[in-house]
Amino acid sequence: MTAGAMYDFEENGRLTAQAALSILNDQGRIEAPTFAPLPARCTANATQLERYGLSSAALPTDCGVIDYPKSIFRVYRGVVLTALAVLLAQTLTIVALLAQRRSRRLAEAEVAVRRSELARAARFATVGELSASIAHEVGQPLGAILSNADAAELLVKASHPDAGELGEILSDVERDALRASEVVQRLRSLLQKQSVAFGSLPFDATLQCALKLIAPEAKRRNISVEENFDAGNAEIVGDAVQIQQVLLNLAINAMDAMQDTGQSSRILTLGTKRLANGMELTVADRGCSFGSASAPRLFEPFYTTKPHGMGLGLSIVRSIVEAPHGCVGAAARDGGGTVFTVWLPCASELTDADAAGAPHVQPRAPTASHPGNTAPRTCS
Ligand code: ADP
């Protein structure tokens, strides 16, 4: 049956029970029937309505609907509600984790930007320290150009100017102008505001560029430079300016440490070599080494023992070296002085994410300051 007039058996039962109670209360006296017969009520079967495509909205308002089709929700209401709650909780957890991951990435990117700005500010300070030798490096060729220009002027004013000699003077002027412009160019590339660009770099050639700034300063301080760059064409991953900054910072510290060293020992020794597991740079001096109390603090930001030091050089070195998962360490030398050793993985050793210098990648090599402790890896 789909719909029709039906007795409501529940109502019927209720009224019958009421009648029985009333008889019992009246102690068995049965009088004329007190109750009107139960009217039939309009009742519709929901399953049948649905089967024939009939809408229950068309039923009279007092019409009862029975036998609703059994949906999964009706049958397993408790289980379905629990599952929905678990799903909702999982979704909320995932959304929260994604939001957390995103904000961590943003924070890491922000830290990387701040770090590179700090490194650049420190480069300005380094150039400030080198300003005397830089002024000399630029001033010398400019002075030579001036003298050559004077000589050329005299020659031109002569009754029979010697074209050959004039040509020689002009080529000297050109050479000196190039020399001065190279110094300016080197400074510009060191100080230019540029985003950090990680890429494969020839280790030795990159460091040689920094050496051109170090050499005049060493000369000014009466320090001789010994260089043993033996890494050949081996490549590392990094930013050229930052790698040069590593050498500059270590070399300037080494020269500072030799301030009171006797003339015969004022030697700055720079060396590179290719190891089985990466590339090594050593910067050694014969200066006053740091004490054992200072050793654990050397790479801390703002740790300095110099009257005008900022204490940022070594901490910047460490952050640069650790970006491609390298490490840096310091040790006292036999016979006096200090040797700083930087270890960097070969370009071929790094994954793409490592090579990008992604700050979120965990270091594979130890970040502690002892490269000798790193697990051996092979540069192919
Ligand atoms: P700053 O040069 O401004 O002091 P750094 O971070 O470069 O900052 O160096 C921190 C400290 O480490 C120096 O003040 C010095 O005490 C010590 N140090 C660094 N390099 C050497 C070195 N080659 N020999 C001895 N001590 C050094």
Side-chain angles (χ1 to χ4, degrees):
M1 188 200 81
T2 305
M6 279 181 69
Y7 287 113
D8 185 336
F9 292 109
E10 211 175 296
E11 180 72 355
N12 204 356
R14 196 177 58 77
L15 290 176
T16 307
Q18 235 174 31
L21 261 177
S22 143
I23 290 166
L24 288 172
N25 288 342
D26 291 344
Q27 286 144 8
R29 274 183 291 116
I30 302 170
E31 308 224 334
T34 343
F35 306 104
L38 193 70
R41 274 185 64 206
C42 167
T43 308
N45 183 312
T47 310
Q48 297 297 334
L49 286 179
E50 191 179 299
R51 186 170 159 207
Y52 296 114
L54 300 170
S55 164
S56 59
L59 293 170
T61 46
D62 61 341
C63 198
V65 180
I66 58 166
D67 207 10
Y68 278 100
K70 288 190 174 165
S71 67
I72 289 182
F73 183 73
R74 278 170 203 279
V75 179
Y76 302 105
R77 188 188 167 88
V79 178
V80 170
L81 283 178
T82 311
L84 282 176
V86 169
L87 264 177
L88 187 69
Q90 273 184 345
T91 310
L92 289 176
T93 310
I94 290 169
V95 168
L97 284 174
L98 284 175
Q100 200 183 40
R101 186 164 166 259
R102 187 167 179 273
S103 58
R104 202 188 70 203
R105 284 273 163 88
L106 288 175
E108 281 173 351
E110 182 71 18
V111 168
V113 169
R114 295 282 161 267
R115 198 181 286 150
S116 95
E117 281 174 0
L118 181 66
R120 184 165 175 258
R123 286 200 293 276
F124 274 93
T126 305
V127 169
E129 282 184 61
L130 299 177
S131 58
S133 58
I134 290 167
H136 180 75
E137 277 294 281
V138 180
Q140 218 182 29
L142 289 182
I145 289 171
L146 202 63
S147 324
N148 275 322
D150 284 346
E153 195 179 4
L154 286 176
L155 213 64
V156 169
K157 280 181 186 162
S159 48
H160 299 291
D162 183 339
E165 203 175 338
L166 205 59
E168 271 175 36
I169 289 174
L170 285 177
S171 61
D172 282 355
V173 167
E174 193 181 354
R175 189 200 58 214
D176 289 328
L178 273 175
R179 211 177 115 197
S181 118
E182 267 172 24
V183 179
V184 173
Q185 192 56 43
R186 265 198 298 279
L187 284 179
R188 191 188 282 167
S189 65
L190 198 67
L191 301 178
Q192 227 167 27
K193 173 140 183 78
Q194 55 189 13
S195 52
V196 177
F198 282 92
S200 293
L201 303 168
F203 196 42
D204 282 0
T206 306
L207 295 173
Q208 294 277 5
C209 290
L211 191 60
K212 290 193 174 131
L213 285 169
I214 294 164
E217 179 66 12
K219 196 171 163 198
R220 192 181 71 84
R221 299 192 195 195
N222 286 326
I223 292 172
S224 48
V225 181
E226 277 178 4
E227 46 165 307
N228 309 305
F229 284 178
D230 292 332
N233 294 327
E235 293 189 330
I236 49 137
V237 166
D239 172 84
V241 170
Q242 289 199 342
I243 296 297
Q244 286 160 15
Q245 189 172 9
V246 167
L247 180 56
L248 274 176
N249 288 3
L250 295 179
I252 289 174
N253 275 345
M255 290 192 277
D256 287 347
M258 289 192 283
Q259 199 175 354
D260 299 324
T261 303
Q263 185 54 54
S264 59
S265 307
R266 291 170 81 89
I267 302 165
L268 170 65
T269 312
L270 310 174
T272 62
K273 64 179 165 196
R274 188 177 172 156
L275 301 177
N277 55 351
M279 232 77 78
E280 189 185 83
L281 163 70
T282 48
V283 178
D285 63 69
R286 287 291 177 199
C288 54
S289 194
F290 51 86
S292 55
S294 312
R297 303 197 56 201
L298 286 183
F299 294 89
E300 276 177 21
F302 307 113
Y303 173 75
T304 181
T305 55
K306 300 175 193 170
H308 303 293
M310 289 199 298
L312 288 176
L314 290 181
S315 77
I316 286 172
V317 164
R318 186 170 68 172
S319 71
I320 292 174
V321 164
E322 286 182 355
H325 311 319
C327 46
V328 53
R333 282 176 90 190
D334 289 340
T338 311
V339 58
F340 276 83
T341 309
V342 172
W343 178 88
L344 286 164
C346 299
S348 53
E349 280 282 287
L350 294 169
T351 63
D352 288 347
D354 292 341
H360 60 278
V361 180
Q362 289 303 310
R364 291 192 294 165
T367 56
S369 43
H370 292 290
N373 294 342
T374 54
R377 291 189 282 141
T378 319
C379 296
S380 54

